[in-house]
Amino acid sequence: MELAAAIGLLSFIMLRLMNERRITRRRRQYRRLLALVNYLESGRPVAYCRLNYNVPILRLWFNAEAELRQEFRLSRRAMQGLQRLLKRDVEDHGWGSQLEVLIYVYWLAHGLSYRVVSSVFSVPRSTVHRIVNKVARHIQNNLKKVIHFPRAEDLDAVGEGFGLLAGHQVFNNAVGAIDGCHIRIKPPQLHRLDYLNYKGFYSINMQAICDAEGRFLDIFVGYPGSVHDTRILKNSPFYLAGQYPPTGYFLLGDGGYPCLDSPIAVITPYKEPVIGAVQGRFNFRHSRARSVVERSFGIMKTRWRSTLFKALEVRPAFAPLVIATCAFLHNVCLDNGDLLEPDADVAQDIFDPQAPREGLAHDERSGSATRDRLAALLIQEAH
């Protein structure tokens, strides 16, 4: 009898809880519906949730004199620039995009669960989940505002930057350095081994081209970690379209890429061990110029190390969006003078051994003759 009574009491309590949750959910839906009706009638958004301005993180944001880097990994100037880039003309609730951007950047900066972020900002966990997905997609839709190839009239300036990095004007026609970077993820159960890279961990590939300042000019994210850099290059939109670099210019790539003249120009170092001083001198200058892309990856991983230097705590399908937003924010920081140095452990992760080089396809023309000509110019001007 006591057991039956206990079961009956437990069932009664569970029914009460379910009813209370149902009522709470209905009230929330009613408030949202009412907000929508008010919006349609007035033409402006109406807040259906009240923001608690007394939580410490918001007091920090609204204190114009306070520095934000420790909490958000961005300077105040960079955060303000980001807010301007992502501002929307029409908001779908009273909080606006400003709070959404703060929540998203805070989530990236600390690699925290939605539950913890919801506690920090005193907003529902479901709201944090929705905002993270929403802002990531909004950034993806605005990616080309800050990640784009240079205009034709700016190409010579970009090339001069690589000439300065290399210490020789032979590299003045280089207008980008290309490389791939592995971002750790928790792999899906289906096709799990596709994500296991040659370094021995599960990852998603991020291919990037950057200029001599370390600014990303193009990114291509999403291939599983087992896919070779060359295959990713040959499936990149800019490669398939023959979009970049223009005729007369070239990209600098590491030894994992083929040395090409067409369909695009990619100049790689001579295979080690080199033969003679000519090849050695060329590889030295080439490395000085090309390594800027590895440095960019290192800076990006250092800034968002809580998210990127461990396995990403998101679905593999969503991971490319998160990685792309980190590249977007990297450029926003550079544009706003928010600079930092890559951490030593991050730099070591970037400089791990390369995958073996793949051969040329039937529709590709080798760039070996161009590389030999550039190497010869180095020696001629040295005497």
Side-chain angles (χ1 to χ4, degrees):
M1 291 294 293
E2 291 182 0
L3 178 60
I7 292 174
L9 179 60
L10 181 60
S11 299
F12 174 75
I13 293 173
M14 290 180 65
L15 286 172
R16 287 290 301 273
L17 288 173
M18 290 173 64
N19 286 333
E20 288 177 3
R21 289 175 182 171
R22 191 177 297 113
I23 292 170
T24 300
R25 187 162 56 249
R26 286 176 179 173
R27 285 175 179 169
R28 189 181 301 121
Q29 291 171 347
Y30 173 76
R31 287 198 299 270
R32 293 180 179 179
L33 181 60
L34 183 61
L36 178 60
V37 171
N38 289 335
Y39 173 78
L40 294 173
E41 289 179 348
S42 64
R44 60 184 179 81
V46 177
Y48 57 78
C49 292
R50 293 185 177 181
L51 187 60
N52 182 2
Y53 290 96
N54 291 319
V55 296
I57 195 69
L58 292 181
R59 289 205 306 268
L60 176 72
W61 167 245
F62 288 111
N63 177 5
E65 302 300 320
E67 183 50 60
L68 304 178
R69 189 186 297 274
Q70 182 173 349
E71 295 296 338
F72 293 97
R73 303 295 292 164
L74 266 66
S75 68
R76 182 169 289 273
R77 179 182 169 187
M79 181 68 85
Q80 289 170 340
L82 177 64
Q83 295 278 8
R84 287 191 296 271
L85 281 168
L86 300 181
K87 182 175 175 58
R88 294 188 297 272
D89 295 331
V90 178
E91 306 294 353
D92 59 1
H93 56 68
W95 292 341
S97 62
Q98 185 178 99
L99 178 69
E100 292 179 344
V101 172
L102 290 177
I103 288 175
Y104 185 74
V105 175
Y106 187 88
W107 174 75
L108 271 185
H110 297 280
L112 298 171
S113 67
Y114 297 143
R115 180 183 59 79
V116 174
V117 177
S118 74
S119 176
V120 170
F121 283 86
S122 190
V123 298
R125 180 184 177 279
S126 59
T127 299
V128 174
H129 178 270
R130 179 177 57 80
I131 284 174
V132 166
N133 283 265
K134 178 181 178 181
V135 174
R137 285 176 172 78
H138 186 48
I139 290 177
Q140 183 187 41
N141 293 336
N142 288 273
L143 212 60
K144 291 191 179 299
K145 285 185 176 180
V146 298
I147 300 178
H148 51 78
F149 290 119
R151 298 172 300 177
E153 57 267 32
D154 296 328
L155 287 171
D156 288 341
V158 175
E160 288 174 7
F162 279 103
L164 289 173
L165 288 178
H168 202 287
Q169 62 185 10
V170 160
F171 290 88
N172 279 9
N173 284 350
V175 289
I178 185 170
D179 201 2
C181 176
H182 290 274
I183 307 296
R184 299 171 188 268
I185 65 162
K186 290 188 173 179
Q189 290 302 315
L190 190 63
H191 306 303
R192 184 183 184 90
L193 289 180
D194 290 347
Y195 292 85
L196 184 64
N197 63 42
Y198 70 94
K199 298 181 182 183
F201 61 86
Y202 298 102
S203 67
I204 282 178
N205 269 298
M206 172 185 172
Q207 176 187 273
I209 301 172
C210 77
D211 65 14
E213 304 297 325
R215 197 173 190 278
F216 291 127
L217 304 177
D218 182 76
I219 61 170
F220 187 45
V221 189
Y223 269 89
S226 65
V227 180
H228 195 281
D229 285 353
T230 301
R231 181 181 166 196
I232 297 171
L233 168 67
K234 294 178 183 180
N235 285 278
S236 305
F238 83 93
Y239 177 95
L240 295 173
Q243 178 185 4
Y244 196 82
T247 303
Y249 298 94
F250 55 84
L251 300 177
L252 299 173
D254 67 18
Y257 293 103
C259 190
L260 296 174
D261 258 350
S262 71
I264 64 168
V266 180
I267 301 301
T268 62
Y270 287 100
K271 187 176 180 179
E272 298 287 348
V274 297
I275 302 173
V278 174
Q279 292 186 4
R281 187 186 296 269
F282 178 85
N283 279 10
F284 172 72
R285 299 288 184 182
H286 183 284
S287 177
R288 287 184 56 177
R290 187 200 58 80
S291 61
V292 66
V293 65
E294 293 172 339
R295 177 177 170 80
S296 294
F297 286 140
I299 291 172
M300 185 184 78
K301 281 192 170 185
T302 294
R303 189 179 298 276
W304 308 112
R305 65 175 298 138
S306 294
T307 296
L308 298 184
F309 206 56
K310 61 178 184 178
L312 265 176
E313 299 282 348
V314 298
R315 304 184 317 276
F318 183 55
L321 269 72
V322 176
I323 297 165
T325 61
C326 291
F328 178 95
L329 293 169
H330 171 86
N331 278 11
V332 170
C333 289
L334 290 184
D335 291 344
N336 288 277
D338 186 355
L339 310 176
L340 54 76
E341 292 294 317
D343 289 342
D345 57 344
V346 174
Q348 182 59 46
D349 182 66
I350 297 296
F351 284 102
D352 275 348
Q354 301 167 358
R357 181 180 299 186
E358 291 191 351
L360 297 179
H362 68 87
D363 58 344
E364 295 175 328
R365 187 171 74 248
S366 172
S368 297
T370 300
R371 181 173 59 193
D372 291 342
R373 178 176 56 81
L374 294 173
L377 288 173
L378 280 174
I379 296 297
Q380 289 175 15
E381 297 186 15
H383 293 290

